Amino acid sequence: MSDEPTRLRDTVVPIFGDETLGWSAALPNGASSKLVAGVLAQDDCAIFSLQGCQDLVLGSDYVRGSKFTLYELGYLSNFDVGYYLAMANLSDIAAMGAVPIALLTVIRYPVAMSDKDFGNVVKGVRAACDHVGVRNVGGDIGTAERLILSGSAVGVVEPGRALRRNGAKAGDILCVTGRTGMAGAALQYFRSLDDYEGRLSRSSEHRLLNAWRRPDPLIRQGRILCSSGAATSCQDSSDGLKATIESLAAASDVGFTVDEARVPVAPLVANVAELRGRNILDLIFGDSVDFQLVFTVAPQYLRELKGAFRTHDLSLFEIGTATESNDVIMRTANGAAKPLPGEGWRHNT
Amino acid sequence: MSDEPTRLRDTVVPIFGDETLGWSAALPNGASSKLVAGVLAQDDCAIFSLQGCQDLVLGSDYVRGSKFTLYELGYLSNFDVGYYLAMANLSDIAAMGAVPIALLTVIRYPVAMSDKDFGNVVKGVRAACDHVGVRNVGGDIGTAERLILSGSAVGVVEPGRALRRNGAKAGDILCVTGRTGMAGAALQYFRSLDDYEGRLSRSSEHRLLNAWRRPDPLIRQGRILCSSGAATSCQDSSDGLKATIESLAAASDVGFTVDEARVPVAPLVANVAELRGRNILDLIFGDSVDFQLVFTVAPQYLRELKGAFRTHDLSLFEIGTATESNDVIMRTANGAAKPLPGEGWRHNT
């Protein structure tokens, strides 16, 4: 096993080190960000040259590292958790409507982790960055008592145009970019696989696992929401759909009525609910880490926005309406009102 | 004990939440960075509005959290490790000659950590930020099996003026901003306190411990080096003085001859070396995490730079010279050459 400087030189730099090819991002307003020094420089910090007016967005996400249940169970590889680390951080940039320019990754590994296993974590980060078109420009590596993964992502957006959580108005339409519940359903399914008889097909199992193995930060969707100017609030659904809707409501000082009949259902989530005897709505609204974008749109802009999503072959589901009252409720098919299903973020008070 | 959203609302926001007062940083070239949304916004990301041409510097540092030896031994409090987390990250910004604009902190805590203890970590972060004049604008909190601390810092610097590691030229003077070895000496002293009879005075123990309790990122020194244009390379000494000098040598493709007689010695480090029977040079050059700036200056600019440091009542020590050959050596008082003492960053190959 190599020491830290050797790993930096022999593993990290070769995987991230083609940055000499140059990298830059431009916004439609002419502002640009150009990478001046990243991993190859092995300096105290990475450097970007910024030109023009732009807003910078910055976020950090710790991910579970070796404490991922599906990693402990052998369903996620080292490559997968590296990929996840990058994507979880980049999803925060997507939710702001920004163009990602940089990822910083903290990868601390147990002393016994082989060069190959460590390299696979780094390769997962790189693959995720390539998928999104961004660079990992630095971070921190070294030992710890277990695999610990944390990151920060940086993006740029036109001045004043970042998608915030606090702009929803009563009457706005609540939308989501895709079906939620897959990540939670995957946990439900795989962590108790031996306790049940019924199995999904191999291809279904593969797709279910991909919610964890290949999460996708919705950069394109965020950019459409941002450049359209139609979205009044936005957040990614990484705390679960219920928590996300409640968070938009609290930040914007509105309520929401969610229309049960319009909530999109992933067939696989339905299958897992059936196999595990769970309420499907609990899986869809619960604390499933799905990275969909949940957002609000003023009604007069909805048609145009839907057109823009359709043009790019991206999905968009209208699931409810913002209300004056601060209540977040669900309207069932027969018109009754009930609390949103699933577990939200709790408060002890 | 509170859950995560409650801690965010009741502990983090009150400690960081006076950001509505507004915060901005300006560079002498007129470029500015204005905080638009930080912790109070509780959004996916923090937002800064950037105007004018500036280079952005980004770095991440994981610190040991509850694995700090002196924390485990009871010498560092929760407040202290929060303070350290901020300062270790801000030191990377100092080493680039940049003005810090943002800190992101990842604070994961054991489920059993009380609200008060958690709050003290956050207060330590806040105190460090206040000391430097920067804001903690976001990050990530939640549980883990132990206290895990990681951060990222962001700074801005005039275009093309960031202090890099790779610009030292043969003939440049090697300098350091202060005495090294205090952090390493503190570890030596306190971790074996019960095994020895001799003790330092209480005030000396206090000062020794402060190397860990109140590290100081040398932002002012970095800014002087940057604005003077005199520094050809710079790095903070957080890997130890020997490793830092070797790193500057490798990045700049030069060697260094360090003049033993000119290396500044902290009396306390000498005292600890004596009490513990250690070679003082091993403590000064070893892997002591001191956050001094180690830099090179072209000889014709040295006088002016020393004047600037003196004007601001800041110390600067000339300790050697960059050489054509790639060897990093020490010249003893009698003129003999020997390897640099202390343990450097190892390479396995």
Side-chain angles (χ1 to χ4, degrees), chain B residues 194-270:
Chain B
D194 295 338
D195 303 343
Y196 292 86
E197 288 220 339
R199 287 285 292 254
L200 295 170
S201 69
R202 281 183 75 97
S203 75
S204 292
E205 287 187 347
H206 180 79
R207 277 186 294 132
L208 198 56
L209 210 45
N210 263 357
W212 290 93
R213 296 182 65 242
R214 297 294 176 271
D216 201 6
L218 305 183
I219 304 287
R220 282 192 303 161
Q221 288 88 331
R223 288 299 294 158
I224 292 172
L225 292 176
C226 175
S227 55
S228 72
T232 51
S233 69
C234 183
Q235 181 177 343
D236 80 4
S237 69
S238 57
D239 293 326
L241 185 55
K242 176 191 169 91
T244 304
I245 295 172
E246 288 178 343
S247 169
L248 290 176
S252 297
D253 195 22
V254 295
F256 285 106
T257 299
V258 176
D259 186 350
E260 180 174 350
R262 306 195 109 196
V263 173
V265 176
L268 266 175
V269 175

Side-chain angles (χ1 to χ4, degrees), chain A residues 52-99:
Chain A
C53 287
Q54 47 197 325
D55 283 3
L56 192 72
V57 303
L58 311 165
S60 274
D61 264 323
Y62 168 94
V63 302
R64 281 162 275 189
S66 60
K67 292 292 173 188
F68 278 110
T69 305
L70 298 180
Y71 179 82
E72 288 174 331
L73 292 173
Y75 292 107
L76 298 182
S77 66
N78 289 305
F79 182 96
D80 294 337
V81 296
Y83 198 98
Y84 192 96
L85 167 63
M87 289 308 198
N89 275 282
L90 292 166
S91 181
D92 286 332
I93 303 299
M96 304 301 286
V99 174

